[in-house]
Amino acid sequence: MKIFASCHNHSCFSDANYTPEELVQIAHDLGHGGIILTDHDTVSGTYFINKAARKLGMKSILGCEFSTYYQGVPFHLLGFDFNPEHPKMKKLLEYLPSIQTSRSELMFKMGLERGSLREGVTWQEIRDAFPYNDYVCNNQVFEVMVKKGIYQPEEYEEVFFKPNFSSKLGLGDYIREVTGKSSKNIHTEDVIRIIREAGGVPIVAHPAGKEEYAEKLIELGVMGFETRHSIFRPERGRGGEESRMFFEKLCEEKNLYKMGGSDHEGILGGYLEFGDEYACPEELSGILEEDFMKLYERRLG
């Protein structure tokens, strides 16, 4: 199949390495005709990617990936083509990035206090290095530390996963207690409603293994599902092609949008250095022009 656009991508405005401009250039070099940036919980990079896309004659619309929970189960929602200035959406987009940024600041300071992070940079220097970011995570922290010569690029996993921020340290509850913020407080049904009230399209990201929730999510207002994503690879153990075809058929039967994109994997994901685990097959890294234009022109509502 000929991929026209990857509609699920992240940039340095959330938790990936590429700038929006670099993403556009890579997609253009691949022969894509469109691209959508869906950074986690922020639309700060939208202006930059849309400007770069227009310059190269590519199509693009506003997008965001929202971290939510439904009945205690994590669900990521892709929101497309909504008004970020809608009062409820604006409030949501102010709160969501602050969850990660507050978490990152606390973890950074805890690392310095415990001596598991080397000194040589302040939190204010990290914020100053990314003046347009409202979402700051380990990626930004580490990038500043590398630029100052505190660490080498290849030390990322050793520094930020093992001694400092591993989930095995049980820091999650403590961080939520101190910051008073958590995406577990963000309910899927509320975000679906806000996206739609803001004039947008809510779509369930990487839904493999969550077939039992599909009908309920549609009742709540979901307008589509990702049917092209590396999570449908058989080795992921989430149902593989059978699961993908379930959502493909569901979208066709219910007249829903079919979406897909690289996410953090494949060429646009930027993590090819990690090997086959992140080598997303091309046929799962984006969608056909017909499916893209349905969303671009809002043919299904």
Side-chain angles (χ1 to χ4, degrees), residues 35-36 42 57 73 168-169 224 259 277 280-281 288 301:
I35 187 171
I36 303 178
T42 179
V73 178
K168 295 180 181 179
L169 294 178
M259 282 293 104
E277 180 184 355
C280 180
L288 301 172

Side-chain angles (χ1 to χ4, degrees), residues 21-35:
E21 294 83 358
E22 288 171 330
L23 281 173
V24 169
Q25 188 61 59
I26 294 169
H28 183 266
D29 291 345
L30 289 171
H32 293 187
I35 187 171

Side-chain angles (χ1 to χ4, degrees), residues 70-71 73 75 77 188 192 202-204 207-226 243 246-251 253-254 256:
Y70 178 68
Q71 298 181 347
V73 178
F75 279 88
L77 294 173
T188 305
I192 291 172
I203 288 175
V204 181
K210 296 180 177 178
E211 289 83 347
E212 63 183 291
Y213 297 96
E215 291 291 343
K216 182 59 180 178
L217 290 168
I218 294 172
E219 289 179 20
L220 292 172
V222 159
M223 299 172 70
F225 295 86
E226 271 196 315
S243 179
F246 171 87
F247 288 105
E248 185 96 13
K249 183 179 179 181
L250 183 65
C251 288
E253 290 178 347
K254 302 285 188 179
L256 304 172

Side-chain angles (χ1 to χ4, degrees), residues 39-52:
D39 271 321
H40 287 289
D41 301 325
T42 179
V43 294
S44 298
T46 297
Y47 166 79
F48 301 97
I49 199 162
N50 286 352
K51 181 180 179 180

Side-chain angles (χ1 to χ4, degrees), residues 90-295:
K90 186 175 182 179
K91 185 177 180 180
L92 184 64
L93 288 172
E94 288 172 352
Y95 178 70
L96 284 177
S98 75
I99 297 175
Q100 180 60 53
T101 301
S102 297
R103 177 178 183 271
S104 299
E105 180 180 8
L106 178 60
M107 293 166 76
F108 170 74
K109 292 178 178 179
M110 287 171 60
L112 292 179
E113 290 172 0
R114 294 198 311 269
S116 54
L117 275 182
R118 298 171 192 163
E119 297 183 353
V121 65
T122 66
W123 180 252
Q124 189 57 52
E125 286 179 289
I126 294 168
R127 293 308 310 265
D128 291 344
F130 298 92
Y132 299 111
N133 282 52
D134 53 11
Y135 181 109
V136 177
C137 66
N138 293 341
N139 294 46
Q140 287 82 27
V141 174
F142 189 66
E143 184 174 330
V144 173
M145 299 182 93
V146 168
K147 286 182 177 179
K148 296 199 72 173
I150 299 171
Y151 289 107
Q152 297 301 310
E154 60 271 16
E155 294 181 277
Y156 181 83
E157 184 174 358
E158 184 67 27
V159 172
F160 281 93
F161 286 120
K162 295 181 180 178
N164 293 294
F165 309 129
S166 171
S167 60
K168 295 180 181 179
L169 294 178
L171 298 177
D173 291 337
Y174 175 71
I175 291 169
R176 284 191 290 273
E177 179 182 343
V178 173
T179 65
K181 300 176 180 179
S182 171
S183 58
K184 288 187 176 181
N185 301 327
I186 307 301
H187 302 297
T188 305
E189 55 269 39
D190 294 335
V191 177
I192 291 172
R193 185 182 67 254
I194 292 172
I195 293 172
R196 296 201 63 159
E197 288 181 2
V201 175
I203 288 175
V204 181
H206 36 72
K210 296 180 177 178
E211 289 83 347
E212 63 183 291
Y213 297 96
E215 291 291 343
K216 182 59 180 178
L217 290 168
I218 294 172
E219 289 179 20
L220 292 172
V222 159
M223 299 172 70
F225 295 86
E226 271 196 315
T227 60
R228 301 283 175 178
H229 189 280
S230 64
I231 200 169
F232 291 112
R233 294 168 63 183
E235 56 267 36
R236 289 296 182 85
R238 300 289 186 90
E241 181 65 9
E242 183 179 349
S243 179
R244 194 191 72 76
M245 289 305 300
F246 171 87
F247 288 105
E248 185 96 13
K249 183 179 179 181
L250 183 65
C251 288
E252 292 173 356
E253 290 178 347
K254 302 285 188 179
N255 204 28
L256 304 172
Y257 290 106
K258 293 185 288 185
M259 282 293 104
S262 294
D263 200 349
H264 282 296
E265 306 183 22
I267 296 175
L268 284 165
Y271 292 139
L272 289 176
E273 66 269 25
F274 290 155
D276 291 341
E277 180 184 355
Y278 286 88
C280 180
E282 182 179 0
E283 67 271 15
L284 296 179
S285 66
I287 59 174
L288 301 172
E289 182 174 6
E290 177 186 359
D291 292 321
F292 180 88
M293 292 307 297
K294 283 181 181 178
L295 177 64

